Amino acid sequence: MELFSIILLLVLIVSLSGVVVKMLPIQIPLPLMQILLGCILAAFNVYVEFDPKLFLVLFIPPLLFADGRKTSVKDFIYNGREIVGLALVLVVISIIALGYILHWILPNVELAAGLALAAVLSPTDAVALSGIVGKGRIEKEKMEIIEGEALMNDASGLVSLNFAIAIAVGDAVFNIFDISVQFFIVAIGGLAIGVLFTWLYARILRKINQLTHNDPAIQIVLLFLLPFAAYIIAEECHCSGILAAVSAGMTVNHSGMMRNAPLTARLQSDSTWSMLTFVFNGFVFVLLGIQLPSILHNTFAENQIDTSIEVWQLCLIVLFVFAVLMGTRFAWLWAMKHMPIMPFGTKRPLAFRSYSNRDLLISTFAGVRGAITLAGVLSIPMTIGGRYQLVFIATGIILISLVVAVIILPILLRGSVILDNSEQTNEILTVKGHMAEEAIVSLEKMQNNLLQETAEDRVDQEIIHEVGSRVIGSLRRRTGLKDLEQKALEAENLERRMRLVAIGAERTALLQMKVRNEVSEEVFEHLNTDLDIYEKMISGDA
């Protein structure tokens, strides 16, 4: 009962965090507010035992799956070299450089433990970044690379962590060739399992939908289980569960699983996933806040026994490690900017070639650390010497990266255009024109077929002419004629406003009939749901 009450309290805190952020006179990013609220809960003796393995299974697969669904496979492949350079090469460079530095400056930390900490510090958090800078502040092309990096380096960091822990506890021997081969097997295996399992899952789901007559509730629940199943199967096969969840999310949109689903299921699925990702993201940062006081308490308690280092020295090491992380990241970005064109299937230069110094700094400080880092460092076994120092340093890096990003990024982004949609608007108008042309051809064929059928049955053909002319006429306004585009837009907006007013009036009338007991509860729910779906379609929120 106590655990259930804590879960309800956490859901409430996550829900209210967005409200608190809006009410404050100063702008505080949502992740930082949720961490602060978690600290406040801990001050009132609210504590949740943090199980890193359970945390990874419960929160990470659905969040990465949702990010994978929103990722364009075409753009991801297009930016593949940049993403690999940041999510793989930079991770390896950071682990080796930082691992040896930590082993050098921390007296009780072995090299393998230093490499383990460096591994958990390598993953970046695009979700926290979005909460800090807001939507559209970073250019679309740059944000795609940062988000792609965040999707991939979670896996590279945690896989490297597992190897480092195995070496630290004596289960493996450091061999760069063997580790490299195993790394690629684990990564490629995870990606393959996610793709293959999702395609199989989509076909099974279609059969289930046929048996259940496309019940949206069943489809949404089964879709929600997909990332967990992909993650667990990949882990059981000793592959990367994180990469399996990512590739599963990226495969869903291409499998036709949701594209072929009924409209109701698609609308409810989008709403459900939006709610779940908000709650799960909030849980992650609130739990981080709840853990902070206990981490600090354990650090001070164990430091009283450990005479090899002082707490103030650990604080300086946190600042030094953060400087090394940012410096290494900036140096690698600068190196890729000046890297010559290489024949990796294309002679296109890396995107970083066009980056200014300000863009390099933005991409550097955009590498904030978050939940994966905390879960990774807490999964380091208690038997490893100097573990409390590793946990303290990782926690400090998370907080400093968030705070520094809050201060530095708005300064670097000052003067940038927020969400310039002019190019996208022009593309939308052009695509709508081509769509309308195809629709007109299909409707004209349909109209001719209906006229032939009704001629035999002697049915009034004026209705067909009237409806066909009205629908085709509205489509013709979209066909790309420059002098009609603005009028078409005005006409569509006016029609949308009128239809929304009509829907509101219908809903009011329906509610009044329910109050007067002139309609049954079942009929009211059915018609009200139809109005909701129609309103979503008209308003464009679907």
Side-chain angles (χ1 to χ4, degrees):
M1 186 64 184
E2 181 181 356
L3 178 61
F4 181 69
S5 301
I6 291 176
I7 293 174
L8 290 180
L9 178 61
L10 292 180
V11 172
L12 177 62
I13 292 297
V14 170
S15 303
L16 293 179
S17 62
V19 180
V20 175
V21 168
K22 299 292 185 183
M23 292 174 59
L24 291 177
I26 58 174
Q27 185 177 1
I28 297 179
L30 185 59
L32 278 181
M33 175 54 67
Q34 290 168 340
I35 292 174
L36 178 60
L37 292 175
C39 292
I40 294 174
L41 286 178
F44 286 94
N45 296 323
V46 176
Y47 184 74
V48 179
E49 188 67 32
F50 193 92
D51 186 338
K53 292 184 179 179
L54 179 61
F55 179 87
L56 286 174
V57 175
L58 184 59
F59 292 106
I60 303 306
L63 291 177
L64 293 181
F65 177 82
D67 289 339
R69 285 187 65 185
K70 294 182 290 186
T71 301
S72 168
V73 176
K74 178 182 176 182
D75 293 336
F76 186 86
I77 295 174
Y78 181 80
N79 297 317
R81 294 177 303 158
E82 291 83 355
I83 292 172
V84 169
L86 291 173
L88 182 59
V89 181
L90 176 59
V91 166
V92 173
I93 293 173
S94 300
I95 290 174
I96 295 174
L98 190 58
Y100 277 94
I101 290 174
L102 288 168
H103 173 56
W104 173 57
I105 62 177
L106 293 174
N108 292 340
V109 173
E110 298 292 333
L111 176 59
L115 293 173
L117 176 58
V120 300
L121 292 177
S122 58
T124 55
D125 194 332
V127 174
L129 175 65
S130 299
I132 291 171
V133 301
K135 186 177 181 181
R137 290 300 303 272
I138 298 178
E139 293 177 25
K140 180 176 178 290
E141 293 77 11
K142 295 181 177 63
M143 196 65 186
E144 286 172 353
I145 294 174
I146 293 171
E147 290 175 341
E149 175 199 5
L151 277 177
M152 294 294 108
N153 64 15
D154 288 345
S156 59
L158 289 181
V159 170
S160 301
L161 170 66
N162 292 334
F163 284 126
I165 290 176
I167 294 170
V169 298
D171 292 340
V173 179
F174 183 80
N175 185 303
I176 189 65
F177 177 77
D178 291 343
I179 290 176
S180 300
V181 171
Q182 292 180 46
F183 181 90
F184 282 104
I185 291 174
V186 167
I188 295 172
L191 290 171
I193 288 173
V195 173
L196 295 175
F197 180 73
T198 303
W199 278 100
L200 177 63
Y201 202 85
R203 278 147 183 76
I204 295 174
L205 191 58
R206 284 183 197 147
K207 296 296 183 183
I208 294 175
N209 288 336
Q210 292 175 1
L211 295 174
T212 59
H213 304 289
N214 291 317
D215 188 332
I218 295 176
Q219 185 161 7
I220 292 170
V221 171
L222 291 175
L223 181 63
F224 178 68
L225 294 176
L226 172 57
F228 297 102
Y231 180 94
I232 292 172
I233 291 173
E235 290 292 325
E236 289 296 322
C237 295
H238 303 289
C239 295
S240 172
I242 287 180
L243 280 178
V246 170
S247 61
M250 298 176 71
T251 307
V252 161
N253 295 332
H254 294 270
S255 68
M257 186 185 300
M258 296 307 300
R259 184 174 61 251
N260 299 324
L263 174 63
T264 305
R266 296 201 303 271
L267 293 176
Q268 292 184 5
S269 175
D270 291 342
S271 300
T272 302
W273 272 102
S274 177
M275 181 269 295
L276 288 174
T277 52
F278 174 77
V279 172
F280 276 30
N281 275 321
F283 262 52
V284 166
F285 290 106
V286 171
L287 286 174
L288 172 57
I290 292 176
Q291 300 302 313
L292 278 180
S294 65
I295 290 173
L296 293 176
H297 178 269
N298 291 338
T299 299
F300 281 100
E302 295 197 37
N303 186 253
Q304 297 297 319
I305 304 173
D306 186 3
T307 58
S308 63
I309 196 169
E310 299 292 335
V311 173
W312 65 269
Q313 293 176 312
L314 281 176
C315 294
L316 289 179
I317 290 173
V318 169
L319 296 175
F320 176 71
V321 169
F322 177 74
V324 171
L325 280 173
M326 294 298 102
T328 305
R329 185 176 177 85
F330 180 84
W332 179 242
L333 286 167
W334 186 89
M336 287 195 290
K337 171 182 170 65
H338 296 87
M339 194 174 290
I341 298 175
M342 296 184 181
F344 292 126
T346 176
K347 293 184 178 180
R348 176 181 63 86
L350 291 172
F352 305 114
R353 181 68 64 88
S354 62
Y355 279 28
S356 64
N357 288 332
R358 187 178 78 157
D359 293 332
L360 292 177
L361 287 172
I362 290 172
S363 297
T364 297
F365 289 103
V368 297
R369 271 57 181 178
I372 292 287
T373 296
L374 180 68
V377 76
L378 290 179
S379 67
I380 295 177
M382 301 290 292
T383 55
I384 291 181
R387 180 183 181 274
Y388 84 92
Q389 300 174 21
L390 306 181
V391 174
F392 179 82
I393 292 172
T395 305
I397 294 296
I398 294 172
L399 294 178
I400 289 178
S401 67
L402 289 170
V403 173
V404 170
V406 169
I407 298 171
I408 298 294
L409 287 178
I411 297 174
L412 294 173
L413 292 168
R414 187 173 297 162
S416 61
V417 178
I418 300 178
L419 208 62
D420 182 8
N421 286 327
S422 57
E423 184 177 345
Q424 186 180 24
T425 301
N426 293 331
E427 183 182 357
I428 289 173
L429 289 174
T430 303
V431 173
K432 275 188 173 183
H434 291 302
M435 292 165 58
E437 289 172 359
E438 293 296 323
I440 289 171
V441 172
S442 297
L443 287 173
E444 287 176 342
K445 290 180 181 178
M446 177 183 177
Q447 189 175 15
N448 291 331
N449 292 334
L450 288 173
L451 288 173
Q452 293 176 2
E453 294 174 4
T454 54
E456 299 174 359
D457 299 334
R458 295 182 180 179
V459 178
D460 191 356
Q461 299 183 4
E462 290 184 5
I463 297 176
I464 298 175
H465 283 293
E466 178 186 348
V467 175
S469 299
R470 185 167 65 246
V471 176
I472 292 175
S474 64
L475 288 171
R476 286 194 189 282
R477 292 196 295 267
R478 297 186 189 175
T479 53
L481 298 176
K482 296 298 181 183
D483 57 336
L484 293 179
E485 282 184 1
Q486 187 61 35
K487 290 185 178 180
L489 189 59
E490 292 175 359
E492 288 185 7
N493 288 336
L494 180 60
E495 181 178 353
R496 183 181 293 111
R497 287 172 56 193
M498 288 185 172
R499 290 186 182 275
L500 289 173
V501 170
I503 290 172
E506 287 183 284
R507 183 177 282 110
T508 301
L510 180 63
L511 183 60
Q512 290 175 347
M513 285 188 285
K514 180 188 177 184
V515 172
R516 296 195 298 266
N517 293 323
E518 296 176 0
V519 61
S520 65
E521 186 69 28
E522 292 79 6
V523 172
F524 172 82
E525 293 295 338
H526 175 75
L527 294 178
N528 197 47
T529 301
D530 287 347
L531 288 174
D532 289 340
I533 294 174
Y534 189 41
E535 183 177 3
K536 275 183 171 290
M537 294 169 59
I538 296 298
S539 62
D541 294 336

